């Protein structure tokens, strides 16, 4: 028995119908792929943050998370209110009282949504040696930067690294540009 | 049961608390000693923002139509959830209390109101949607169910073995309502467990086999569980049977509406008074800020004995933060005086709170404890239960039952000074009676122990580990008019007929052989209903014509209604009462015809007509 593939089927039997459905499914899944890749980071907010490799091309950051963090800092720490105050007209005691609000709140926010750890565990101002192949994004060399690794120098700052981020998930229709709603008491 | 065995993969513990709910689980058939895991509960924390937290605040907010953008209410499992519960509900309610449903659980065991009637939030305007105490419990359970099903789509909650905790002091009506709420929320395999027992199970799980080294035969463990709004007390005796240590829950305390939130509020009002003396009066919204600030300052002061004072600041409401912010401080002596001396004074064992009359029965409102001193409530409990362990451990002397070990639970005890004071107080009583100091049992998570213990109990029910025995912690009675000749102007005295004895176990039944009642077809018959946590020896059918006022507590009335089906209205049918403790853990009362052919349920929760 010979089958002529170039013939157009006269009637849609079950087999052809199945083939058509499969073809459509494949097409749809191919079209969807890029969108899935983009959606992934948003779906897994608690995944550990990998240290970013030096980007070969520039990438745009999404403003969503930045606005979300500003909103959280305003809500718990009155961050935006504080930054927008003109400090020159207040006494240090008044500023101190407000600073407590900002400090306590910021601490709570940072501790609640991030897990942070220092990059180097050595004491600051102590001497340390960097072997060749150290990660330049994690350690910044300054001063007399000549020669080749191993480098020996003084630890000036231990650095900070976010090992976990767990920002709240946002509703699709949520307007992140509203950092704090106006409040009207009735 | 066979259905359960096929489908249940997990034992799920639910702590349905007055102020917080917690969800925990352990795999059935997991190795003994596997610690139960906590399921984080996704909930709105701000409009449009969802966070998963270990606790779900037990609050419902009924927003105005135009108050929130509907797109901002989405939860992971629903774009339009029917109710707004959890963190955001509590936050919104703190500024708009008339739309906030809080303490719904305390209403569940409140006598004198119809707990099916939608009246919460109490005293709010007509346009605010109302919910019943039962409805509120259903709402919380539904949120927990969705959170579970979202996390375990292959093992829906309806198929799992669910252990739901209730206060040890819950009356049969409140237990039945809790079971009803669980049924409506789609929980099919349910067991109720008392919260203090759950805390003990969590302790047993944490200790593993080591618990047998920490307690010995003759020990009496006092469990003090102070939640946000309520305090729950229980006593557990350690005895021996066939060479094995056995645990018996021998007594439970009254329902005390007094908890950690009262302490924070007490500090806030103290600061308010201090500011008033300085000529600064506080707006109502500032009280909220003060309460919040005091809670954090208190925790710092109680954790660090070197601090003398901690600043408390109340931020302004407007966008001008500096200048409008109110600043004061909370000192060590204020905390000590208010919390330690106010709530845990070193009183003697004979100092008891004034007995709260049930006159408040008709008043609409929660019967908050009038006496804030936890010490006096504890002293009253230990004194009332003085003979509770005699049957198991042999006769005892003294005016109160003497605990030898103490298990503390609840966030309040995160402050070491408060747990030390509680221990010192009990040791003060023990020493005065010539007994040895009690010791503190440690190792449980003060916020999560009840849910964890409940999940672990699911494993215990499958035959692992030790099970706490106990049965019902009360004997139950109905009131019947005595058959003395009628005297004009004098009400016939009431006698109490014991219908369920103390310590009835799950799955057992007793029938009152000698007492017959004539029930009138088509009419509703009501009974006065009583409970006693101290009368341990009354058997089913015992009739009391005299009792001390503190021996019997009057519970809400119960009723039964014989439908006219197959009978003529007005006919009298002789019946016997049968009481049964169901496998779930609720009391079931039935009127049964003398030949046993027909049964009618006696309603524990009377609905108002």
């Amino acid at each position: 028995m010979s089958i002529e593939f170039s013939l157009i089927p006269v009637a849609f039997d079950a087999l052809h119908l199945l083939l058509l459905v499969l073809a459509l499914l494949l097409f749809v899944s191919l079209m969807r792929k890029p969108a899935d890749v983009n959606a992934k980071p948003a779906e897994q907010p608690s995944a550990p943050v990998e240290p970013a490799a030096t980007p070969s091309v520039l990438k745009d950051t999404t403003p969503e998370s930045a606005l979300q963090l500003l909103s959280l800092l305003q809500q718990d720490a009155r961050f935006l209110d504080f930054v927008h105050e003109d400090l020159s007209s207040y006494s240090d005691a008044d500023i101190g009282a407000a600073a407590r609000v900002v400090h306590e709140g910021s601490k709570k926010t940072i501790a609640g949504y991030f897990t942070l750890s220092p990059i180097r565990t050595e004491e600051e101002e102590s001497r340390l040696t960097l072997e060749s192949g150290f990660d330049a994004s994690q350690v910044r060399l300054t001063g007399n930067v000549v020669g080749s690794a191993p480098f020996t120098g003084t630890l000036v700052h231990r650095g900070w690294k976010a090992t976990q981020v767990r920002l709240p998930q946002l509703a699709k229709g949520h307007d992140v540009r509203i950092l704090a709603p106006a409040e009207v008491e009735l | 049961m066979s259905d359960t065995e096929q489908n249940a993969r997990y034992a799920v513990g639910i702590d349905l608390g007055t102020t917080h709910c917690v969800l925990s689980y352990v795999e059935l058939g997991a190795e003994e000693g596997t610690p139960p895991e906590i399921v984080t509960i996704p909930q709105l924390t701000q409009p449009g923002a969802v966070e998963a937290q270990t606790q779900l605040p037990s609050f419902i907010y009924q927003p105005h139509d135009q108050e929130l953008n509907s797109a901002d209410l989405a939860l992971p499992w629903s774009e339009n959830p029917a109710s707004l519960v959890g963190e955001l509900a509590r936050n919104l309610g703190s500024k708009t209390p008339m739309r906030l449903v809080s303490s719904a659980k305390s209403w569940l065991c409140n006598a004198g109101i119809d707990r099916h009637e939608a009246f919460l939030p109490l005293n709010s305007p007509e346009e605010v949607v109302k919910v019943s105490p039962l409805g509120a419990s259903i709402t919380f359970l539904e949120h927990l169910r969705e959170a579970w099903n979202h996390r375990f789509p292959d093992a829906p909650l309806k198929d799992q073995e669910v252990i739901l905790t209730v206060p040890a002091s819950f009356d049969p009506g409140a237990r039945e309502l809790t079971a009803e709420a669980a049924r409506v929320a789609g929980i099919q395999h349910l067991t109720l467990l008392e919260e203090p027992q759950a805390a003990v199970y969590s302790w047993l799980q944490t200790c593993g086999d080591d618990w047998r080294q920490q307690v010995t035969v003759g020990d009496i463990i006092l469990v003090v569980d102070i939640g946000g709004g309520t305090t729950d007390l229980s006593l557990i005796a350690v005895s021996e049977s066939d060479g094995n240590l056995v645990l018996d829950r021998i007594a439970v305390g009254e329902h005390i509406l007094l908890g950690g939130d009262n302490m924070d509020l007490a500090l806030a009002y103290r600061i308010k008074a201090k500011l008033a003396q300085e000529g600064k009066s506080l707006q109502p919204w500032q009280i909220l800020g003060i309460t919040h600030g005091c809670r954090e300052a208190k925790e710092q002061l109680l954790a660090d004995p070197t601090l003398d004072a901690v600043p408390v600041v109340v931020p302004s409401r407007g966008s001008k933060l500096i200048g409008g912010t109110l600043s004061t401080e909370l000192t060590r002596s204020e905390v000590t005086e208010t919390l330690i001396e106010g709530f845990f004074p070193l009183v003697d064992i004979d100092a008891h709170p004034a007995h709260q009359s049930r006159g408040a029965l008709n008043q609409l409102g929660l019967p908050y404890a009038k006496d804030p001193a936890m010490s006096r409530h504890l002293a009253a409990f230990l004194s009332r239960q003085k003979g509770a362990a005699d049957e198991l451990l042999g006769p005892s002397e003294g005016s109160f039952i003497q605990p030898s070990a103490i298990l503390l639970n609840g966030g309040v005890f995160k402050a070491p000074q408060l747990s030390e004071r509680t221990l010192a107080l009990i040791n003060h009583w023990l020493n005065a009676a010539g007994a040895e100091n009690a010791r503190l049992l440690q190792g449980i998570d003060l916020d999560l122990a009840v849910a964890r213990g409940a999940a672990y109990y699911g494993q215990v029910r499958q035959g692992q580990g030790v099970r706490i025995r106990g049965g019902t912690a009360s004997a139950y009675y109905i009131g019947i008019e005595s058959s003395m000749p009628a005297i004009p102007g004098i009400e016939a005295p009431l006698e109490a007929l014991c219908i369920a004895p103390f310590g009835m176990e799950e799955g057992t039944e007793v029938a009152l052989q000698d007492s017959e009642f004539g029930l009138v077809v088509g009419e509703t018959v009501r009974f006065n209903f009583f409970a006693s946590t101290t009368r341990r020896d009354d058997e089913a059918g015992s009739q009391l014509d005299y009792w001390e006022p503190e021996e019997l507590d009057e519970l809400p009335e119960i009723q039964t209604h014989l439908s006219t089906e197959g009978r003529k209205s007005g006919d009298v049918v002789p019946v016997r009462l049968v009481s049964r403790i169901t496998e779930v853990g609720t009391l079931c009362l039935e009127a049964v015809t003398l030949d046993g052919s027909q049964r009618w349920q006696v309603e524990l929760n009377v609905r108002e007509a």
Side-chain angles (χ1 to χ4, degrees):
Chain A
M1 181 183 156
S2 70
I3 298 172
E4 181 59 77
F5 284 100
S6 61
L7 281 178
I8 296 170
V10 192
F12 275 99
D13 57 9
L15 187 70
H16 280 99
L17 204 65
L18 187 77
L19 274 171
L20 182 73
V21 169
L22 273 175
L24 275 173
L25 275 175
L26 264 172
F27 180 71
V28 169
S29 72
L30 273 174
M31 293 299 287
R32 279 178 57 122
K33 268 259 162 74
D36 280 356
V37 170
N38 281 338
K40 254 188 187 147
E43 279 170 14
Q44 297 176 327
S46 60
V49 176
E50 297 293 339
T54 322
S56 55
V57 284
L58 296 182
K59 58 179 177 184
D60 282 329
T61 56
T62 56
E64 294 232 321
S65 307
L67 292 171
Q68 191 187 6
L69 183 59
L70 271 184
S71 169
L72 289 168
L73 283 171
Q74 164 63 15
Q75 173 198 312
D76 291 335
R78 306 288 298 272
F79 182 74
L80 298 175
D81 292 341
F82 185 70
V83 171
H84 283 90
E85 290 269 28
D86 176 9
L87 296 190
S88 56
S89 54
Y90 295 109
S91 71
D92 281 3
D94 282 344
I95 297 171
R100 283 188 192 283
V101 176
V102 180
H103 180 259
E104 262 173 40
S106 308
K107 195 170 166 181
K108 198 180 127 205
T109 307
I110 300 293
Y113 300 112
F114 302 91
T115 306
L116 303 182
S117 66
I119 288 173
R120 302 297 307 200
T121 50
E122 295 91 346
E123 284 286 304
E124 286 179 6
E125 296 304 318
S126 69
R127 302 284 290 173
L128 59 83
T129 301
L130 299 166
E131 300 301 334
S132 80
F134 69 91
D135 185 350
S137 66
Q138 297 207 29
V139 182
R140 173 130 326 135
L141 303 180
T142 59
N144 190 20
V145 188
V146 286
S148 57
F151 296 111
T152 298
T154 307
L155 179 66
V156 180
H157 192 289
R158 298 158 69 157
W160 286 112
K161 173 163 75 176
T163 53
Q164 245 194 357
V165 182
R166 34 177 188 273
L167 285 169
Q169 290 182 298
L170 293 177
K172 283 207 182 78
H174 181 66
D175 187 351
V176 283
R177 293 169 308 160
I178 309 301
L179 302 176
E183 206 174 307
V184 180
E185 192 179 53
L186 303 182
Chain B
M1 277 308 274
S2 61
D3 192 32
T4 313
E5 278 153 19
Q6 281 168 16
N7 296 325
R9 270 174 58 199
Y10 301 102
V12 182
I14 298 179
D15 174 5
L16 191 65
T18 318
T19 53
H20 288 97
C21 300
V22 184
L23 189 55
S24 175
Y25 72 97
V26 64
E27 199 162 341
L28 286 170
E31 206 177 313
E32 193 174 342
T34 309
E37 304 269 341
I38 296 293
V39 182
T40 54
I41 305 160
Q43 57 194 285
L44 287 162
T45 50
Q46 282 296 308
V50 173
E51 268 181 72
Q53 300 188 342
T54 53
Q55 298 183 315
L56 175 77
S58 314
F59 295 86
I60 304 174
Y61 189 76
Q62 312 281 36
H64 187 277
D65 296 341
Q66 283 148 30
E67 197 175 342
L68 293 163
N69 196 338
S70 67
D72 277 347
L73 296 177
L75 286 169
W77 50 82
S78 166
E79 274 183 52
N80 298 304
S83 315
L84 174 49
V85 302
E87 181 82 34
L88 179 60
R90 184 175 60 182
N91 289 347
L92 292 173
S94 66
K95 288 177 179 171
T96 311
M98 71 172 181
R99 290 183 174 273
L100 182 72
V101 177
S102 60
S103 296
K105 186 181 173 185
S106 297
W107 285 104
L108 264 193
C109 61
N110 186 298
I113 50 140
D114 179 358
R115 297 167 270 191
H116 289 86
E117 191 196 322
F119 64 90
L120 296 172
L122 192 63
N123 300 331
S124 60
E126 223 168 80
E127 63 165 83
V128 176
V129 181
K130 305 289 193 298
V131 60
S132 68
L134 174 74
S137 293
I138 295 171
T139 302
F140 300 135
L141 285 169
E142 283 175 340
H143 190 101
L144 296 174
R145 179 195 65 204
E146 294 303 320
W148 172 275
N149 291 349
H150 183 68
R151 166 94 179 262
F152 299 94
D154 300 333
L157 192 63
K158 68 176 171 56
D159 293 336
Q160 310 311 312
E161 218 24 273
V162 175
I163 295 95
L164 184 56
T165 61
V166 291
S169 49
F170 253 23
D171 66 37
R175 282 171 204 241
E176 176 54 42
L177 283 166
T178 308
E180 185 182 340
R183 269 196 302 276
V184 176
I187 293 170
Q188 293 178 5
H189 310 292
L190 176 75
T191 309
L192 299 180
L193 176 68
E194 292 172 1
E195 285 158 14
Q197 282 194 52
V200 174
Y201 277 117
S202 183
W203 176 77
L204 288 167
Q205 188 275 319
T206 314
C207 290
D209 281 337
D210 191 41
W211 75 270
R212 292 185 181 82
Q213 270 71 57
Q214 298 205 34
V215 290
T216 53
V217 174
D219 265 332
I220 295 170
I221 305 170
L222 168 67
V223 188
V224 183
D225 182 7
I226 302 188
T230 53
T231 294
D232 216 6
L233 306 169
S234 286
L235 287 166
I236 312 255
V238 185
S239 61
E240 195 170 20
S241 166
D242 302 331
N244 290 320
L245 287 186
V246 178
L247 299 174
D248 277 89
R249 196 266 287 103
I250 50 172
V252 303
E254 281 181 16
H255 203 67
I256 309 170
L257 284 188
L258 180 63
D261 292 352
N262 301 65
M263 302 184 190
D264 295 331
L265 216 55
L267 280 177
Y269 277 87
R270 176 148 191 158
I271 293 282
K272 183 188 176 208
K274 184 160 88 171
L275 286 166
Q277 277 185 347
E278 294 167 15
K280 296 177 196 158
S281 69
L282 287 185
Q283 304 280 327
W285 61 267
Q286 283 175 309
I287 287 287
L288 189 79
I290 286 269
T291 314
H292 185 72
C294 280
R295 186 179 307 140
E296 303 203 338
K298 170 199 81 179
E299 278 163 15
Q300 284 182 42
L301 279 168
L302 290 174
D304 183 354
T306 60
L307 288 174
D308 278 330
V310 170
V312 176
V313 285
V314 182
S316 65
R317 282 208 288 189
S319 64
K320 290 204 74 62
L321 184 63
I322 309 178
T325 293
L326 195 70
S327 158
T328 180
E329 60 175 24
L330 185 67
T331 64
R332 172 161 301 280
S333 65
E334 283 163 346
V335 171
T336 312
E337 261 177 56
T338 312
L339 292 193
I340 300 188
E341 298 309 327
F343 287 88
F344 297 92
L346 271 183
V347 296
D348 287 329
I349 188 73
D350 50 12
H352 297 174
H355 193 75
Q356 277 193 32
S357 72
R358 290 266 167 173
L361 217 86
N362 299 324
Q363 235 173 299
L364 203 55
L366 285 175
Y368 291 109
K370 299 263 182 341
D371 192 336
M374 224 48 107
S375 310
R376 283 191 277 271
H377 290 282
L378 255 177
F381 171 62
L382 294 178
S383 303
R384 195 179 317 120
Q385 295 296 345
K386 66 181 171 199
D390 291 2
E391 200 181 312
L392 274 172
L393 306 176
S396 59
E397 287 170 20
S399 64
F400 66 104
I401 189 162
Q402 300 176 350
S404 49
I406 296 165
L407 183 69
L408 302 176
N409 188 43
V412 165
F413 291 116
K414 281 181 200 161
Q417 287 196 343
L418 293 185
S419 48
E420 280 160 23
R421 169 52 80 100
T422 309
L423 183 65
L425 175 72
I426 289 159
N427 285 339
H428 167 68
W429 297 332
L430 290 172
N431 294 339
E436 276 180 44
N437 278 351
R439 59 195 187 281
L440 217 49
L441 302 178
Q442 277 162 332
I444 60 171
D445 183 305
L446 297 169
D447 285 327
L448 310 176
V450 168
R452 283 203 175 126
Y456 172 64
Y457 178 61
Q459 274 191 315
V460 172
R461 280 171 60 85
Q462 307 254 317
Q464 290 186 8
V466 67
R467 189 166 177 168
I468 303 170
R469 303 185 306 193
T472 54
S474 299
Y476 296 103
Y477 306 81
I478 55 169
I480 48 174
E481 281 174 18
S482 74
S483 48
M484 66 178 265
I487 304 167
I490 293 181
E491 229 180 289
L494 209 57
E495 294 185 351
L497 174 71
C498 180
I499 51 166
F502 194 95
M504 258 181 91
E505 298 273 356
E506 278 168 27
T508 60
E509 178 174 290
V510 293
L512 270 64
Q513 292 302 341
D514 303 332
S515 314
E516 274 178 32
F517 295 87
L519 294 189
V520 184
V521 174
E523 270 183 30
T524 299
V525 186
R526 294 191 168 213
F527 298 97
N528 294 75
F529 191 38
F530 301 91
S532 171
T533 57
T534 50
R535 295 189 66 100
R536 291 155 188 279
D537 303 324
D538 290 339
E539 285 171 18
S542 308
Q543 203 154 329
L544 318 181
D545 49 16
Y546 174 79
W547 58 87
E548 297 288 339
E550 67 273 10
E551 274 187 317
L552 257 57
D553 280 324
E554 182 156 11
L555 302 176
E557 278 185 339
I558 57 178
Q559 71 175 28
T560 189
H561 180 87
L562 259 61
S563 54
T564 43
E565 273 168 52
R567 284 199 169 79
K568 263 193 294 180
S569 186
D571 277 3
V572 176
V573 183
V575 293
R576 274 196 198 109
L577 283 180
V578 172
S579 55
R580 184 157 48 92
I581 305 295
T582 63
E583 291 291 343
V584 168
T586 53
L587 174 70
C588 173
L589 276 181
E590 285 169 325
V592 184
T593 49
L594 297 185
D595 58 2
S597 62
Q598 277 184 293
R599 292 173 169 246
W600 293 273
Q601 186 89 17
V602 180
E603 294 285 331
L604 298 177
N605 295 290
V606 176
R607 291 167 197 243
E608 303 293 332

